[in-house]
């Protein structure tokens, strides 16, 4: 990782040239002011196709053991870039079968010729797909969010950084009664993290009882989580616990955006699963045979619920969403030129 | 006053400061074994410094063993005897460490060990000065950050001890946990003999320690995260 790669990656991340019809960049679905989500329940691709899942926050993505909502084998950020660019189910940026078009577009831009050469010195033909992946991944790795009021309390020692309500909520979050931290753990609030010196632990995927269709506890066919990759019924509806950092900015919630507010998310856990009374997805999630045993319901008072929400909002890092280095470089009057 | 120390703290320091090889501090390459009793004058100053440092460690380890015996002693007179022997060894250690830093003024481990022995012989003021030197040479030396904070406690400089804890919390969680235990001990001791501290001061510090204990119980260690290489 070098400054030149990061800088190049930032331009690429924000460049609409990377989509087939020139309307989309990565940042169309990963907007900085929304902690790099898109505010939609489910994303919409550059050709209007609806993605079965919602865009994930990219905060601290570098520390995730696996990437995306439920792929157990996608590990490197470099490998992820290919999916929005080239995959067709669904179409996101719509470059499928058009690698050469993409590279030609970059090659015909004098700035990219210079920037790729600076980022990948000594290569005779640096404008290549692998280098594009590397540069974008380098940019993603600097998207570190660690300046929330919670961090100021815990790591900065500012004992007043959280108001009493949020502090109570913090106690609830980590309590054995609510057990939120059992799945949303660690520095990322997203389960096990990877870093040098530890052998990456196994990723954990959980079914939180959002759906219970048919006798086997299915999820809607659009997205059945880990089951999609393994075909094992026990993996039905199991997803990665996403990061809760900046969660106050990233509604609506869950892989399909099917819960609108944090209060309702807490109701869902408190009930031990979601009950959908009528319609296509009617079913009692509480009774799902595939549900995690950690989601067994708990009593929570109104005040406690407010406290927990206050705590979740204390994970919002305003520095992260206003950090200049993460912002759209095409918007800045004088584009910062890679060294 | 010499304050009680926890075994965990001792283990921490013993593990952290292994004897150095004779050419560790940038001395000449000539391998030469340190003689048992005296430092041969033919060796370079840096090598001699390491030799003195290693002698100092030996004395300190002896002192630690006497303290352990004192803890296990059944009779008060015996305990006092062991503690006295421990103090003699700390005295020796201090002299060796002082020689070491005089010979090599850049020897941050020796400054830190000097501080440790001074603190154990009841001189936290001198210890703070030694740790300051160690940290001026090596600002991220967490051993010195931790033990200087314990010396701060011995001097009732609570604000500085708190600051050190926060710093260790994200850089060396094991040492942060040790320091927090030492703080808890300090509170117990101070409640018994507050000397010139007010009850409010002790209560306020105690509240802070309780807060941090709770936060620590809710927070996984960050150690290692910074090591990630891309």
């Amino acid at each position: 990782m070098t400054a030149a790669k990061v800088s190049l990656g930032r331009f690429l991340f924000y460049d609409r040239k990377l989509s087939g019809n020139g309307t989309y960049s990565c940042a169309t679905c990963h907007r900085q002011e929304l902690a790099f989500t898109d505010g939609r329940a489910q994303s919409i691709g550059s050709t209007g196709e609806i993605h079965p899942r919602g865009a994930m926050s990219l905060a601290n993505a570098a520390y995730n053991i696996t990437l995306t909502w439920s792929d157990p084998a996608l590990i490197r950020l470099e490998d992820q870039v290919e999916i929005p660019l080239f995959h067709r189910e669904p179409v996101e940026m719509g470059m499928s079968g058009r690698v050469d078009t993409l590279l030609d577009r970059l090659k015909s831009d004098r700035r990219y010729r210079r920037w790729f050469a600076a980022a990948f010195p000594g290569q005779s033909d640096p404008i290549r797909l692998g280098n594009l992946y590397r540069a974008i991944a380098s940019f993603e790795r600097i998207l570190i969010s660690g300046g929330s009021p919670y961090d100021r309390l815990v790591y900065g020692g500012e004992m007043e950084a959280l108001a009493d309500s949020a502090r109570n909520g913090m106690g609830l979050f980590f309590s054995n009664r609510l057990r939120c931290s059992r799945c949303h753990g660690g520095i990322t609030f997203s389960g096990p993290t990877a870093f040098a010196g530890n052998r990456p632990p196994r990723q954990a995927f959980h079914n939180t009882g959002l759906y219970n269709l048919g006798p086997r506890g299915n999820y809607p066919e659009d997205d059945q989580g880990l089951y999609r990759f393994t075909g094992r019924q026990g993996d039905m509806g199991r997803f990665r616990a996403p990061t809760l950092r900046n969660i106050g900015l990233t509604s609506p919630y869950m892989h399909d955006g099917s819960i609108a507010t944090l209060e309702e998310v807490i109701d869902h856990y408190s009930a031990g699963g979601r009950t959908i009374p009528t319609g296509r997805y009617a079913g009692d999630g509480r009774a799902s045979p595939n549900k995690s045993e950690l989601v067994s319901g708990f009593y929570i008072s109104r005040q406690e619920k407010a406290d927990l929400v206050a705590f979740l909002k204390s994970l919002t890092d305003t520095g992260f969403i206003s950090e200049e280095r993460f912002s759209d470089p095409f918007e800045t009057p004088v584009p910062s030129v890679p060294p | 006053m010499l304050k009680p120390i926890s075994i965990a703290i001792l283990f921490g320091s013993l593990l952290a400061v292994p004897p150095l090889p004779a050419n560790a501090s940038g001395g000449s390459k000539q391998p030469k074994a340190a003689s048992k009793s005296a430092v041969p004058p033919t060796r370079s100053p840096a090598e001699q410094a390491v030799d003195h440092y290693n002698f100092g460690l030996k004395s300190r380890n002896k002192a630690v063993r006497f303290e352990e015996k004192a803890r296990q002693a059944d009779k008060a007179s015996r305990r006092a005897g062991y503690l006295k022997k421990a103090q003699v060894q700390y005295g020796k250690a201090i002299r060796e460490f002082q020689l070491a830093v005089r010979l090599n003024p850049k020897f941050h481990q020796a400054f830190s060990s000097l501080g440790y022995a001074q603190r154990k012989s009841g001189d936290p003021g001198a210890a703070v000065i030694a740790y300051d030197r160690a940290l001026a040479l090596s600002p991220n030396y967490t051993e010195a950050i931790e033990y200087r904070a314990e010396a701060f406690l011995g001097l009732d400089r609570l604000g500085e001890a708190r600051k050190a804890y926060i710093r260790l919390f994200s850089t060396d969680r094991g040492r942060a946990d040790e320091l927090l235990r030492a703080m808890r001990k300090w509170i117990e001791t101070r409640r018994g003999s507050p000397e010139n501290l007010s009850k409010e001061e002790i209560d306020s510090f105690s509240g802070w320690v309780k807060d941090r204990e709770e936060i620590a119980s809710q927070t996984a260690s960050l150690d290692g995260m910074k090591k990630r290489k891309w």
Side-chain angles (χ1 to χ4, degrees):
Chain A
M1 224 172 111
T2 61
K5 283 198 193 77
V6 170
S7 194
L8 168 62
R10 180 176 165 209
F11 279 97
L12 292 168
F13 186 89
Y14 280 96
D15 199 336
R16 296 203 175 90
K17 276 198 190 66
L18 266 63
S19 61
N21 56 17
T23 58
Y24 260 55
S25 70
C26 305
T28 308
C29 297
H30 297 286
R31 293 162 51 188
Q32 181 182 18
E33 70 272 24
L34 299 178
F36 294 96
T37 61
D38 63 3
R40 298 176 185 277
Q42 293 165 240
S43 292
I44 299 178
S46 59
T47 57
E49 258 184 65
I50 294 180
H51 196 296
R53 291 170 294 283
M56 302 182 90
S57 170
L58 303 185
N60 307 322
Y63 288 102
N64 292 334
I65 299 176
T66 65
L67 298 167
T68 72
W69 283 101
S70 56
D71 189 338
L74 186 58
I75 289 165
R76 295 172 65 240
L77 285 166
E78 283 82 351
D79 298 335
Q80 190 278 333
V81 184
E82 181 195 338
I83 297 173
L85 280 177
F86 298 113
H87 284 207
R88 280 192 297 201
E89 290 167 15
V91 171
E92 294 181 68
M93 302 177 68
M95 293 303 297
S96 169
R98 302 175 66 185
V99 177
D100 291 338
T101 313
L102 173 60
L103 295 180
D104 286 345
R105 281 183 197 171
L106 297 174
K107 283 175 187 165
S108 64
D109 185 328
R110 195 169 46 85
R111 293 172 309 171
Y112 278 117
R113 288 202 298 274
R114 200 148 41 84
W115 295 342
F116 269 92
F120 300 96
Q123 296 187 9
S124 54
D125 185 18
I127 301 189
R128 296 185 229 154
L129 217 44
N131 287 344
L132 177 137
Y133 295 164
R134 276 182 210 106
I136 291 183
S138 292
F139 172 66
E140 289 175 310
R141 288 190 175 110
I142 69 164
L143 302 177
I144 300 296
S145 176
S148 67
Y150 163 84
D151 297 291
R152 299 211 313 272
L153 167 75
V154 171
Y155 301 107
E158 281 178 46
M159 302 309 279
E160 312 303 322
L162 294 199
D164 286 349
S165 170
R167 204 45 211 287
N168 288 340
M170 180 171 164
L172 291 166
F173 185 89
F174 289 98
S175 70
N176 283 329
R177 172 152 63 103
L178 270 62
R179 301 194 281 203
C180 312
S181 61
R182 294 282 292 277
C183 299
H184 300 277
I187 182 86
T188 57
F189 288 85
S190 173
T193 49
F195 50 81
N198 83 345
R199 200 142 47 93
R202 282 254 300 272
Q203 183 61 278
F205 298 91
H206 323 268
N207 176 317
T208 67
L210 283 177
Y211 298 97
N212 182 4
L213 307 177
R216 305 182 72 194
N218 284 354
Y219 267 43
E221 273 185 17
D222 275 356
D223 200 347
Q224 305 186 318
L226 187 58
Y227 173 84
R228 188 157 66 92
F229 297 91
T230 66
R232 279 195 300 263
Q233 188 61 27
D235 291 337
M236 175 61 68
R238 288 172 68 177
F239 291 86
R240 199 184 97 204
T243 181
L244 299 185
R245 284 186 173 276
N246 305 298
I247 195 72
L249 303 172
T250 64
S251 69
Y253 301 110
M254 304 303 185
H255 68 275
D256 55 0
S258 60
I259 301 186
T261 66
L262 289 173
E263 285 79 2
E264 290 168 85
V265 171
I266 297 170
D267 290 341
H268 154 63
Y269 284 114
S270 161
R274 176 169 67 180
T275 306
I276 301 178
T278 53
R280 206 145 62 103
Y281 299 138
D284 182 355
R286 293 172 303 177
S288 166
N290 306 312
K291 195 184 68 172
S292 162
E293 57 195 22
L294 289 168
V295 181
S296 51
F298 49 79
Y299 169 76
I300 188 165
S301 72
R302 273 180 59 178
Q303 182 58 50
E304 286 175 326
K305 203 157 95 178
D307 292 349
L308 184 55
V309 170
F311 171 66
L312 292 171
K313 290 190 171 159
S314 81
L315 297 171
T316 298
D317 178 356
T318 50
F320 180 70
I321 56 170
S322 59
E323 170 63 53
E324 151 95 49
R325 291 177 307 143
F326 307 162
S327 66
D328 185 346
F330 296 105
E331 299 266 289
T332 34
V334 185
S336 52
V337 177
Chain B
M1 273 303 298
L2 189 68
K3 61 180 197 59
I5 43 138
S6 76
I7 301 216
I9 288 169
L10 286 177
F11 270 124
S13 80
L14 292 182
L15 292 176
V17 191
L20 293 173
N23 59 359
S25 275
S28 81
K29 294 260 157 58
Q30 279 173 287
K32 235 178 200 174
S35 92
K36 247 202 158 135
S37 51
V39 175
T42 52
R43 294 161 65 70
S44 77
E47 285 175 321
Q48 292 181 42
V50 171
D51 292 341
H52 284 297
Y53 175 71
N54 285 338
F55 287 137
L57 283 189
K58 265 191 197 159
S59 296
R60 196 207 48 192
N61 292 348
K62 276 188 198 160
V64 169
R65 282 196 292 274
F66 283 131
E67 285 178 329
E68 184 54 37
K69 281 186 177 160
R71 244 189 306 278
Q72 287 162 2
D74 38 10
K75 271 196 271 174
S77 59
R78 279 197 166 207
R79 192 169 312 135
Y82 281 130
L83 286 178
K84 208 166 158 190
K85 285 185 177 165
Q87 284 306 312
V88 171
Q89 292 302 326
Y90 278 128
K92 283 191 184 169
I94 289 173
R95 281 191 294 283
E96 295 291 348
F97 292 139
Q98 279 169 337
L99 285 170
V101 298
R102 209 165 298 154
L103 285 157
N104 177 4
K106 296 209 164 139
F107 200 166
H108 68 273
Q109 294 100 326
F111 275 114
S112 185
S113 299
L114 173 62
Y116 186 87
Q118 287 170 325
R119 186 164 57 84
K120 303 304 269 179
S121 31
D123 192 351
V128 165
I129 294 170
Y131 289 128
D132 281 346
R133 293 290 299 273
L135 286 168
L137 292 165
S138 176
N140 298 323
Y141 192 38
T142 54
E143 174 185 290
I145 297 174
E146 178 192 349
Y147 292 131
R148 183 174 64 175
E150 293 202 22
F152 285 146
L153 284 178
L155 296 166
D156 298 337
R157 286 162 65 172
L158 304 180
E160 286 153 294
R162 285 200 285 234
K163 245 171 128 172
Y165 173 78
I166 296 301
R167 177 131 183 246
L168 289 171
F169 191 75
S170 47
T171 53
D172 190 337
R173 182 61 183 277
R175 291 196 178 279
D177 291 345
E178 270 177 13
L179 178 56
L180 203 56
R181 285 194 289 274
M183 287 171 162
R184 181 50 62 220
K185 267 247 156 80
W186 180 93
I187 293 165
E188 281 160 29
T189 314
R190 276 318 213 185
R191 285 219 193 280
S193 59
E195 288 166 36
N196 40 22
L197 281 177
S198 71
K199 184 174 177 305
E200 288 70 42
E201 281 173 293
I202 299 178
D203 283 348
S204 141
F205 186 62
S206 168
W208 183 90
V209 168
K210 196 165 156 260
D211 248 6
R212 293 308 313 189
E213 283 168 346
E214 185 183 75
I215 292 169
S217 76
Q218 296 167 341
T219 313
S221 166
L222 286 185
D223 292 6
M225 270 194 88
K226 279 158 294 308
K227 289 189 206 126
R228 183 157 198 190
K229 293 243 165 52
W230 306 108

